[in-house]
Amino acid sequence: MAAADRKDTTEQAEFRKQCQKWLKANHPGRPPVQLPQGALELSDPAALQWLQQWQKSAYDGGLIGCDYPLDVGGGGKENCQGIANQEMQKAKTPYLPNIIGMGMAAPTIFFHCQDEVKAELLPKLLSGEEIWCQGFSEPGAGSDLANQQTFAEKDGDNWVINGHKVWTSLAHFADWMILLCRTDKSDKYNGLSYFAVPIKAALGKGVTVQPLIKMTGQTGFNEVLFDNLVISDRYRMDDVGAGWKVAMTTLAHERGAGPLVTPASGGMAIEEESGVSAGNIGSLISLAKQQHRGSGRAADDASLRDEIMKLMIRQEALRQNSRRAGVPELTDHPMRIPLQGKLVGTELNQDIAETAYRIEGAASTLYVNDPNAPAAGQWPLAYMNSFGVTIAAGANEIQRNILGERVLGLAKSK
Amino acid sequence: MAVEPKNFGFGEDETMLRDSARKFMSDHCSTDKLHSLVASDYQIDRDNLCLWDQSLWQQIVELGWPAVCVPEANGGIGMPLVAAVALAEEIGKAGFPSPLLSIFNSTFVLRACDSAAAHQALASIAGGKTMTLAITNAAGSWHSDHTDVEVNKDGSLTGNAYFVQDARKCEQFLVSARGDKGVGLYLVDASASGLTLIPDSIVDLTRDQAHLSFSDVAAVEMASPGKGSDAIANAIPAILCIVSADMVGAGEWLLQTTVEYAKTRIQFDHPLGFFQAVKHPLVNVMLQIDNAKSLTYHAASAFDHVPENAERSARMAKSEASDMAVFSSSRAVQFHGGIGFTWECYVHLFFKRQMHNQVMYGDAKYQRTHLANSIMGPAD
Ligand SMILES: Cc1cc2nc3c(=O)[nH]c(=O)nc-3n(C[C@H](O)[C@H](O)[C@H](O)COP(=O)(O)OP(=O)(O)OC[C@H]3O[C@@H](n4cnc5c(N)ncnc54)[C@H](O)[C@@H]3O)c2cc1C
Ligand SMILES: Cc1cc2nc3c(=O)[nH]c(=O)nc-3n(C[C@H](O)[C@H](O)[C@H](O)COP(=O)(O)OP(=O)(O)OC[C@H]3O[C@@H](n4cnc5c(N)ncnc54)[C@H](O)[C@@H]3O)c2cc1C
């Protein structure tokens, strides 16, 4: 949004220019291999490698980790990551591969690790050289995250970990995992602790990663088994028993409601090839103009027109809400808009993909591997994929509980 | 290229105005008082009275609210549309019966007329005179070109205007009428001879509405035939913002009131808000209010700064606000249970105001049809 450029500070304005200049000279161009719709579906090592090169180059260019201090590998700036993100989006760059690292692990490490550990872990995380994953969910601990059963037992200066994590995105590529687990069986919330775990180094030596296949037929998430894995106590974040508090830092950032802005780029990906980009109403409209419905075009169907306009209005509202969230005098409760972000964004994208699917009519039955599929079959894929994010990162029912309880002050649901 | 300010144009003056309005409303216009003012007689065949607090209105005139968007050159305060939007939101939140929003609507139509006579009419608003629009025909068309009033050869008006808002609170009517070259705009005094005001019996207790019948009524031309409909069309985005802001305010009242009830009413050993069948829809109401609010501010700031985007933005705002008005009011009645179905409970006052608001100047689907035609091209 152009309007977001308005009130740049001097530092921001100068930094914005630097970003524009850098992007002009260093845009990575088209990928040599087919990229999936998002980093959470990465399965081809060549695709990962190309994206890691892009992240490293953007990191070296100063566009990633700008707001982290210099001594942990950051750019030492203030409120500049948002600027870099806007400029990367505008330049239609590829997405960044280490999204769990930057979005969840980095702020958690930054706020809860010892200084030497921050300086050890953050530079390679921000540069994308080391990929991170998040070991929170377990078979018995999904929405009820505190019901952790994976157990870490103290052994001198080390911890011995046993347990079973599921739905662990990117674990098949990950060097590190942020791990929430139990250290005390007698207290549900105060019996949790939080660690950074070097999993790749321990593959076959206490760590097993097995892929799980998504409903789309793609992979991207895994189960991770710990069998007497030994790690050093220096990788513990915050106090023993403070895991729940640390996890709140992770979750706040995961939901886009934490103090540090997550580096993000995108805009290129699949859009150019097939017009598929959730959040792109223009591509819905062109799809409706191309697709037939009865003897006419889908774009002439009154109810579809109405639906498309509804989606467009929601998308504009999302944009204007984030604009308003930046003006404290225009918000009654400081968390009212930030806590809506994940819920509203994921449901909008789901509804856009669903509408696109239905605009395609009979041809929506054709999947990505069919040569006759409209938009290369990406809309049915996008629709199915959209459930990943309405479930993950705190299912949307849980988001509604949070909003109802924290913002409206309604009684806590069980 | 013109750009919108990041803060939607809510500068210090606008925020101060809003805060003082908020305080004024909570000091003087409690829902208790509103209910005893407009709902003391529940009988369906009660006398059709125009119930409003004229002494409070005098205070509002002294505070200068009716003049906020009148240009300084005409003796007004010369603030942007967002100022009127801020006030409309507080008016909606209080369900306050007053001609203020009609005055704002008239102000923006007059500003678009840009004639010497229109400047004089604006000055009369700045001087404390009330005014409303009479621009709707018997079919309730919102099109700027549709009217059932005609301009006679001598410049007087004959015909009928319908769905005139706040008619009995206003001293002057800004009337659209068809002349030889199209629709013009005319100012008519409420006491003019040949003018008959027939009050409608309406659902909303916080407003009055009437049908005006004109028979050779003396009128002053504000915009000549052909130019009047343009002026209305130019002002429509502002009008849509103002009614949307009222809905946002009323929606917030409905939300907060229902949340309060859901915190205190115990059933099955829990406050109602414990149950997700109550909690989640209330969250959805909140999401929709926030959408409507941000879209309304956006449209108002577009009107003030990037006029070429104003109509689209305003139709988006009105669409979302109208859907929200229906949803927020329906959930409020439903979650109040049996008590919400009674006259004694205050919820129906805002339910009725929202149902009235949502249709004014076109309901949600009407706005989306306009948007689709402009963005997707006309349907075959
Ligand atoms: C694509 C994808 C990627 C993921 N990546 C990761 C990852 O990298 N790391 C990781 O740790 N986890 C990951 N997850 C797991 C994710 O965090 C969990 O799936 C999520 O927290 C929900 O837990 P669950 O699957 O056990 O569902 P459950 O908690 O069993 O929920 C099932 C359904 O019940 C609803 N529900 C549950 N409790 C309540 C309640 N109190 N009130 C109302 N409704 C309720 C839920 O909303 C949901 O609809 C991923 C999931 C997906 C889909
Ligand atoms: C027109 C009318 C006629 C009536 N006639 C009679 C009559 O002749 N005789 C008679 O005895 N009664 C009568 N009633 C009363 C009627 O049965 C009650 O209004 C109804 O049972 C709801 O109870 P309540 O009003 O106390 O609302 P509450 O129980 O307080 O409910 C308020 C809201 O909370 C919701 N809610 C409550 N508990 C839960 C839960 N566990 N989970 C999810 N949501 C919940 C409700 O659905 C409702 O939306 C009548 C009511 C009306 C409106």
Side-chain angles (χ1 to χ4, degrees), chain A residues 94-116:
Chain A
Y95 51 77
L96 299 165
N98 202 15
I99 54 169
I100 292 174
M102 294 179 299
M104 286 166 253
T108 315
I109 293 167
F110 181 70
F111 288 114
H112 301 283
C113 277
Q114 312 163 24
D115 287 344
E116 320 85 75

Side-chain angles (χ1 to χ4, degrees), chain B residues 261-262 265-268 270-279 331-342:
Chain B
Y261 190 69
R265 166 80 173 161
I266 311 281
Q267 289 287 278
F268 304 100
H270 289 286
L272 298 178
F274 168 88
F275 301 108
Q276 293 177 356
V278 173
K279 176 182 287 173
R331 292 309 84 196
V333 171
Q334 178 67 24
F335 294 149
H336 275 76
I339 190 78
F341 190 62
T342 65

Side-chain angles (χ1 to χ4, degrees), chain B residues 13-254:
Chain B
D13 292 348
E14 288 75 15
T15 326
M16 250 167 59
L17 176 68
R18 180 202 59 192
D19 293 346
S20 68
R22 195 169 284 178
K23 179 155 191 317
F24 183 88
M25 289 292 157
S26 75
D27 288 352
H28 301 292
C29 320
S30 68
T31 315
D32 261 340
K33 262 176 84 177
L34 176 67
H35 195 266
S36 43
L37 175 66
V38 301
S40 60
D41 188 353
Y42 61 84
Q43 295 177 83
I44 289 177
D45 62 356
R46 66 186 171 272
D47 289 337
N48 187 347
L49 302 173
C50 173
L51 300 163
W52 62 307
D53 186 336
Q54 300 194 45
S55 68
L56 216 50
W57 176 250
Q58 274 320 309
Q59 292 182 44
I60 287 176
V61 172
E62 276 150 37
L63 287 169
W65 296 358
V68 287
C69 292
V70 173
E72 281 175 293
N74 306 123
I77 304 176
M79 290 175 88
L81 172 58
V82 287
V85 157
L87 289 175
E89 195 178 324
E90 299 308 318
I91 294 279
K93 205 179 284 166
F96 183 63
S98 87
L100 188 64
L101 308 193
S102 293
I103 292 172
F104 289 154
N105 293 345
S106 306
T107 299
F108 283 98
V109 174
L110 286 170
R111 274 170 54 167
C113 289
D114 199 31
S115 62
H119 288 297
Q120 261 180 26
L122 283 163
S124 80
I125 291 179
K129 273 197 136 187
T130 50
M131 192 187 297
T132 188
L133 300 175
I135 59 169
T136 310
N137 66 8
S141 164
W142 310 114
H143 197 288
S144 57
D145 221 16
H146 295 171
T147 173
D148 293 343
V149 183
E150 297 202 343
V151 189
N152 301 318
K153 288 231 160 54
D154 64 357
S156 65
L157 307 181
T158 295
N160 295 281
Y162 299 82
F163 308 108
V164 178
Q165 302 302 301
D166 302 314
R168 280 184 279 171
K169 304 187 193 83
C170 287
E171 298 155 283
Q172 309 173 88
F173 300 112
L174 186 52
V175 186
S176 71
R178 187 169 307 284
D180 45 359
K181 293 193 197 99
V183 169
L185 278 164
Y186 302 85
L187 196 64
V188 169
D189 208 88
S191 59
S193 74
L195 172 66
T196 316
L197 185 154
I198 305 133
D200 295 337
S201 295
I202 61 172
V203 177
D204 184 0
L205 302 172
T206 64
R207 279 197 174 84
D208 82 288
Q209 179 180 290
H211 156 199
L212 303 182
S213 175
F214 301 83
S215 165
D216 300 327
V217 177
V220 182
E221 185 182 274
M222 300 286 118
S224 59
K227 293 208 169 131
S229 43
D230 290 348
I232 297 171
N234 282 334
I236 280 289
I239 293 172
L240 294 174
C241 286
I242 288 163
V243 64
S244 298
D246 188 289
M247 288 189 273
V248 167
E252 192 68 31
W253 185 92
L254 287 160

Side-chain angles (χ1 to χ4, degrees), chain A residues 40 100 134-139 141-144 166-169 214 221 387-389 391-398 401 414, chain B residues 276 280:
Chain A
L40 291 186
I100 292 174
Q134 176 197 25
F136 275 27
S137 302
E138 298 184 0
S143 299
D144 187 8
V166 282
W167 324 126
T168 324
S169 299
K214 301 181 182 183
F221 59 18
F387 288 89
V389 277
I391 294 168
N396 286 3
E397 291 71 25
I398 306 302
N401 286 345
K414 280 270 153 41
Chain B
Q276 293 177 356
H280 289 189

Side-chain angles (χ1 to χ4, degrees), chain A residues 191-317:
Chain A
L192 301 174
S193 297
Y194 199 120
F195 300 89
V197 181
I199 59 166
K200 190 178 257 173
L203 283 177
K205 292 172 281 185
V207 174
T208 310
V209 176
Q210 287 164 349
L212 294 168
I213 309 303
K214 301 181 182 183
M215 68 186 280
T216 56
Q218 295 174 314
T219 177
F221 59 18
N222 307 271
E223 50 185 345
V224 180
L225 303 163
F226 295 105
D227 180 14
N228 287 321
L229 172 71
V230 178
I231 64 161
S232 158
D233 184 54
R234 74 191 239 101
Y235 294 131
R236 175 169 45 79
M237 300 199 203
D238 224 305
D239 296 336
V240 175
W244 187 249
K245 181 183 89 184
V246 181
M248 290 307 111
T249 301
T250 314
L251 295 186
H253 286 86
E254 179 172 21
R255 289 161 195 171
L260 282 164
V261 173
T262 296
S265 84
M268 181 186 78
I270 317 236
E271 195 183 330
E272 286 173 19
E273 277 164 23
S274 56
V276 177
S277 159
N280 181 355
I281 300 294
S283 59
L284 262 194
I285 294 175
S286 19
L287 187 70
K289 287 182 174 167
Q290 287 152 18
Q291 298 297 312
H292 295 282
R293 176 151 296 224
S295 55
R297 307 175 307 166
D300 297 329
D301 180 300
S303 76
L304 272 179
R305 289 165 74 82
D306 194 59
E307 262 182 66
I308 294 172
M309 289 302 105
K310 267 190 191 164
L311 294 167
M312 179 190 73
I313 291 166
R314 281 166 64 190
Q315 186 174 65
E316 186 60 35

